[in-house]
Amino acid sequence: MNKHQEQLLPSSMLLFPPRSKHLSLLLALLLFGFGFAVGIFSSFYLQTTPFSLSMAQLLLQPSAPSQSAVSASSPPRSVSAKPRIGLKEFVEPDVILHDMTDEELLWRASMIPKIQKRPFSRPPKVAFLFLTKGHLPLAPLWEKFFEGNEGFYSIYVHASPLNGSAPKGSVFHGRRVPSKAVQWGGMNMMEAERRLLANALLDVSNQRFVLLSEACIPLFNFPTIYSYLINSTKIYVQAYDLPGPTGRGRYMKKMKPLLKLEQWRKGSQWFEVDRSLAIEVISDDEYFPLFQRHCTSSCFADEHYLATHVSVRFPGRTANRSLTWVDWSKGGPHPARFLRRDVTVELLERMRNGSSCRYNGRSTRICFLFARKFLPNSLVRLMRFAPKLMDFKQRYEGRRG
């Protein structure tokens, strides 16, 4: 075959000479496979290349398409960004369970906004802090108390870590904070109280904080208690100097020189404070560590720490009384307990109006808003007398924001 004849042959015959048909077929398959692999690889590369390096941006285009054209012709691009966290999650969290340590929680709760004008409208709330050994046997009574007043209160429960949660539909459902074991009279009881305060402080709408137990009951309806607390110019921490073994006798000499014997105070565990004092309590790095180191065994920190702390640092802030009615007339380390047969209208009226005190500079007979220590079997008679006597049907009529 001369050179002129070769030029007249098809290109495929020049590439694969006719002398080896099998070899030509093999080479053609190899080339096809190579081309197929390159195509697959290129397609995969373009799909996984970041948007900033994609071919759409590498092509030189004279002008960008309009927003309407893009939205009309292009399918929505999948977005893997995290959900947006709004202001509500910071100022009024719906979920109170978290994985923060106590140190992290106290640090987070101690933050104070410097800008006083708020970018949102929320009514001030009262935080009800329940420090309990287990479940809440008097929950049905509290359910009646809170009913219809949503938006003006928050509930926080510190219970045994092994205790179950409240049933769905209850105002206590999902309101248990991360809890730890507590021993009566131990320093870990004060740690639990600070844990409750810190969790409640995460909601900036909470302005008043009251500590209660599973044996406490309300003595008035919600509007009365809410107005009493929100409008009060004082906090309610009892503090007094008591000579003898159950007062000054519990003072530890190792607390000197930071805390002297004459500064030692005793008071009711059941307190009510405002937001500024709550922040002072959970951020206290002076007296609280002192009590942790030295207030052990028979010191009973829950009766002395807060009373001493407030008396030394904020003596003019407190009304120096508790809002929780307790009967100590029988003596002993525990107050009187009320069984089913003890619950009468006369008893409840005596708790409600049997005292006189000062409120915002005026004399009043409403000195106690809560009472204890009611046992579980008292619930039946409480449900019979309390809702009508205390007029639980009343609702607070303030703005909900």
Side-chain angles (χ1 to χ4, degrees), residues 332-345:
H334 300 284
R337 302 184 302 174
F338 297 100
L339 303 171
R340 179 181 180 276
R341 64 175 180 271
D342 301 318
V343 179
T344 62
V345 172

Side-chain angles (χ1 to χ4, degrees), residues 13 26 45 86 147 151 193 236 248 348 354 358 361 385 395:
M13 294 184 67
L26 179 60
Y45 178 79
E147 185 178 351
E193 293 178 17
Y236 297 89
R248 288 197 175 198
L348 296 176
R358 304 286 293 178
F385 301 132
R395 305 291 182 261

Side-chain angles (χ1 to χ4, degrees), residues 131-315:
L131 180 61
T132 73
K133 297 177 182 178
H135 69 290
L136 290 158
L138 304 180
L141 182 69
W142 285 102
E143 300 270 1
K144 290 289 186 182
F145 169 78
F146 287 118
E147 185 178 351
N149 296 288
E150 293 76 14
F152 298 104
Y153 67 86
S154 299
I155 296 173
Y156 301 86
V157 180
H158 188 292
S160 169
L162 300 178
N163 185 256
S165 61
K168 289 184 178 180
S170 168
V171 295
F172 296 99
H173 179 73
R175 303 310 301 173
R176 191 175 76 173
V177 305
S179 307
K180 296 183 180 180
V182 173
Q183 285 79 40
W184 177 74
M187 191 63 195
N188 52 18
M189 183 173 287
M190 275 310 310
E191 292 169 356
E193 293 178 17
R194 291 219 307 176
R195 199 174 296 123
L196 277 166
L197 281 172
N199 277 279
L201 282 167
L202 297 180
D203 185 338
V204 299
S205 297
N206 290 329
Q207 295 299 312
R208 306 291 297 206
F209 307 78
V210 56
L211 182 68
L212 303 161
S213 77
E214 74 275 11
C216 288
I217 66 167
L219 291 177
F220 295 90
N221 56 36
F222 183 88
T224 301
I225 290 179
Y226 177 87
S227 299
Y228 195 103
L229 298 179
I230 291 297
N231 296 316
S232 178
T233 60
K234 296 286 187 178
I235 63 171
Y236 297 89
V237 175
Q238 187 184 46
Y240 56 92
D241 183 13
L242 180 67
T246 60
R248 288 197 175 198
R250 295 174 178 173
Y251 172 77
M252 300 294 173
K253 294 181 180 180
K254 293 181 180 180
M255 292 182 170
K256 292 190 300 186
L258 181 59
L259 184 64
K260 302 175 182 178
L261 174 62
E262 54 269 25
Q263 296 174 308
W264 184 256
R265 293 294 182 269
K266 183 176 181 176
S268 172
Q269 174 187 4
W270 312 105
F271 63 79
E272 193 282 333
V273 297
D274 59 16
R275 188 172 185 87
S276 62
L277 200 286
I279 293 175
E280 293 290 348
V281 172
I282 62 111
S283 59
D284 175 26
D285 59 0
E286 187 174 17
Y287 293 100
F288 195 81
L290 184 71
F291 272 75
Q292 283 181 311
R293 291 194 300 269
H294 304 302
C295 191
T296 57
S297 62
S298 60
C299 179
F300 299 103
D302 58 299
E303 294 183 359
H304 294 280
Y305 163 69
L306 193 59
T308 300
H309 182 205
V310 171
S311 178
V312 172
R313 296 191 58 199
F314 313 101

Side-chain angles (χ1 to χ4, degrees), residues 7-29:
Q7 292 176 350
L8 297 176
L9 292 175
S11 59
S12 59
M13 294 184 67
L14 290 175
L15 185 61
F16 305 113
R19 63 175 175 270
S20 178
K21 294 182 178 180
H22 294 291
L23 180 60
S24 299
L25 180 60
L26 179 60
L27 288 173
L29 290 174

Side-chain angles (χ1 to χ4, degrees), residues 135-139 141-142 213-219 324-327 335-352 369-383 385-386 390:
H135 69 290
L136 290 158
L138 304 180
L141 182 69
W142 285 102
S213 77
E214 74 275 11
C216 288
I217 66 167
L219 291 177
T324 301
W325 191 98
V326 182
D327 182 6
R337 302 184 302 174
F338 297 100
L339 303 171
R340 179 181 180 276
R341 64 175 180 271
D342 301 318
V343 179
T344 62
V345 172
E346 291 73 24
L347 173 69
L348 296 176
E349 283 289 9
R350 180 160 57 91
M351 294 174 172
R352 285 159 49 89
L369 304 182
F370 312 96
R372 65 188 306 268
K373 191 173 186 180
F374 289 85
L375 297 188
N377 64 7
S378 66
L379 178 63
V380 174
R381 292 176 71 87
L382 285 171
M383 292 294 289
F385 301 132
M390 302 170 195

